[in-house]
Amino acid sequence: MIQLTAIPVSALVDEPVHIQATGLTPFQMVSFQASLEDESGNMFYSQAHYRANEFGEVDLKHAASLGGDYMGVHPMGLFWSLKPEKLLTRLLKKDVMNKPFQVQLKLYDLELIVNNKAASAPKASLTLERWYVAPGVTRIQVREGRLRGALFLPPGEGRFPGVIDLFGGLGGLLEFRASLLASRGFASLALAYFNYEDLPAKPEITDLEYFEEAANFLLRHPKVFGPGVGVVSVCQGVQIGLSMAVNLKQVTATVLINGTNFPFGIPQVYRGKIYQPFPYSAQLISTSALGLLELYRIYETTEVGASQYLFPVEEAQGHFLFIVGEGDKIINSKAHAEQAIGQLRRHGKNNWTLLSYPGAGHLIEPPYSPLCCASMTRDLKLHWGGEVIPHAAAQEHSWKEIQRFLRKHLIPDMTSPL
């Protein structure tokens, strides 16, 4: 009897799943197919082809895919190789608390696959649940003063290290990373800063005092460790995270994923200081062979006069974790990270770590998330970049390093005298 098993059937999205097929004919060729429907009804699909061993078994932990969406030994390949049926669609979880993504896993005889479509019913199938929040995590809507966001608290009495989570140019409120961080023991504030509720849709300035209020809000919470908080930021959020690290003593650990070392778009303002946005070179916008916009060349930070726009990162008292995808087609993030590190070095600082991933694109997300190499954003077809297998490896490695970094710099040394 053919059986398809997956352990665990229900798990957090950053947890691996052990998938096996048994009861096959020795050396039988089979196709594993995965599908997922997002909250908007968009479908995502993946497939991989395997040969059973002499015992009629396929164990994805050890067996190599011989074809399909990836090749080689990749136990979680069916998850991170999911592709949208509708081009330029990004997989984004919105309701993190109430329902998981469901992944339908089906096993077919490869001989009955015609033009990548099954010509008969599957030999076996099952449904997996992929959650963005662990049991016991609580979500608190934040509307305090002008702050807007969602606070996620781990189960238990606490106290917990506090983290502010910042996304980029999509605006609104994205919660999936904060909910996962809370599932891993962090009190995480998913912070909106434009285009959400009563926040301006197109702000004319970035007011850093708003983010200072968020840090103080988190530190006042009885379940949050002091004296400092962390920031996890990506893309447009990085310019804010970096500025917070420079200006706010409350910020002691900052994760910067594929961003710049200067403000862009609009000025930043903090207590009378104004950071002017770096001027971009529109003539350096490029278009890929598929008609996708690439923006990674528009900021020439090595030109004469460029230094006046760069954040004085040497003034930061906390620690930095720079994470860059070398295949990023939106921001030249490796160059910007290396420039910031150069500033730190010249001032005798060693408060930084750089993780640079060849083949990874712009949207480095939690482990096993499908690569989104291009999507439609604000009516623009943007090329985020990345290659499927190295991008997946970068996501898995960086997620562990982010948690290690935050714990190291946010959890007080309990052995030190009070």
Side-chain angles (χ1 to χ4, degrees), residues 95-365:
D95 179 3
V96 299
M97 293 299 294
N98 297 307
K99 55 185 178 180
F101 276 144
Q102 293 191 328
V103 178
Q104 309 292 329
L105 194 60
K106 297 179 180 180
L107 179 69
Y108 292 92
D109 188 328
L110 186 57
E111 294 180 358
L112 300 178
I113 300 292
V114 180
N115 294 327
N116 289 330
K117 292 185 179 180
S120 67
K123 299 294 185 183
S125 63
L126 54 81
T127 300
L128 302 174
E129 292 184 344
R130 305 295 284 169
W131 287 90
Y132 282 80
V133 65
V137 169
T138 55
R139 178 190 184 276
I140 302 167
Q141 187 74 37
V142 175
R143 296 185 182 95
E144 177 147 332
R146 57 178 178 163
L147 291 181
R148 299 292 179 266
L151 175 63
F152 292 87
L153 295 174
E157 294 300 315
R159 297 181 293 160
F160 308 103
V163 176
I164 297 171
D165 190 33
L166 299 173
F167 276 88
L170 276 180
L173 182 64
L174 297 178
E175 303 179 11
F176 66 85
R177 193 168 56 202
S179 63
L180 270 181
L181 285 169
S183 302
R184 297 304 178 197
F186 299 92
S188 304
L189 174 61
L191 185 64
Y193 55 98
F194 74 99
N195 199 27
Y196 180 73
E197 293 190 348
D198 55 351
L199 297 176
K202 295 181 179 180
E204 295 180 356
I205 62 167
T206 298
D207 181 1
L208 206 65
E209 290 185 44
Y210 175 81
F211 301 90
E212 184 175 39
E213 291 167 20
N216 290 334
F217 165 79
L218 204 50
L219 286 169
R220 283 196 307 269
H221 198 283
K223 287 196 172 185
V224 174
F225 277 130
V229 299
V231 174
V232 178
S233 56
V234 65
C235 188
Q236 186 174 321
V238 166
Q239 59 171 314
I240 297 170
L242 201 54
S243 188
M244 291 172 73
V246 169
N247 289 287
L248 308 181
K249 66 181 185 303
Q250 301 95 319
V251 176
T252 54
T254 309
V255 179
L256 307 154
I257 306 169
N258 285 332
T260 64
N261 56 328
F262 49 82
F264 63 87
I266 57 176
Q268 282 193 19
V269 177
Y270 180 65
R271 299 186 184 276
K273 286 190 288 189
I274 300 176
Y275 296 97
Q276 293 293 347
F278 200 106
Y280 71 93
S281 302
Q283 70 274 16
L284 296 178
I285 296 173
S286 54
T287 305
S288 75
L290 297 176
L292 306 171
L293 289 180
E294 299 178 343
L295 309 178
Y296 66 99
R297 296 173 56 238
I298 65 175
Y299 295 110
E300 296 292 337
T301 57
T302 57
E303 291 184 351
V304 175
S307 60
Q308 65 179 305
Y309 298 100
L310 307 182
F311 288 119
V313 292
E314 66 277 1
E315 296 177 9
Q317 299 303 306
H319 291 78
F320 296 111
L321 175 59
F322 295 93
I323 296 174
V324 302
E326 295 181 16
D328 189 341
K329 297 298 184 181
I330 291 296
I331 292 176
N332 192 358
S333 46
K334 185 177 183 182
H336 301 323
E338 289 177 340
Q339 191 171 37
I341 289 168
Q343 281 178 255
L344 293 168
R345 278 178 165 154
R346 286 193 296 275
H347 288 84
K349 297 288 201 95
N350 62 355
N351 57 338
W352 54 271
T353 300
L354 172 65
L355 300 177
S356 187
Y357 297 104
H362 184 72
L363 296 175
I364 295 178
E365 299 192 321

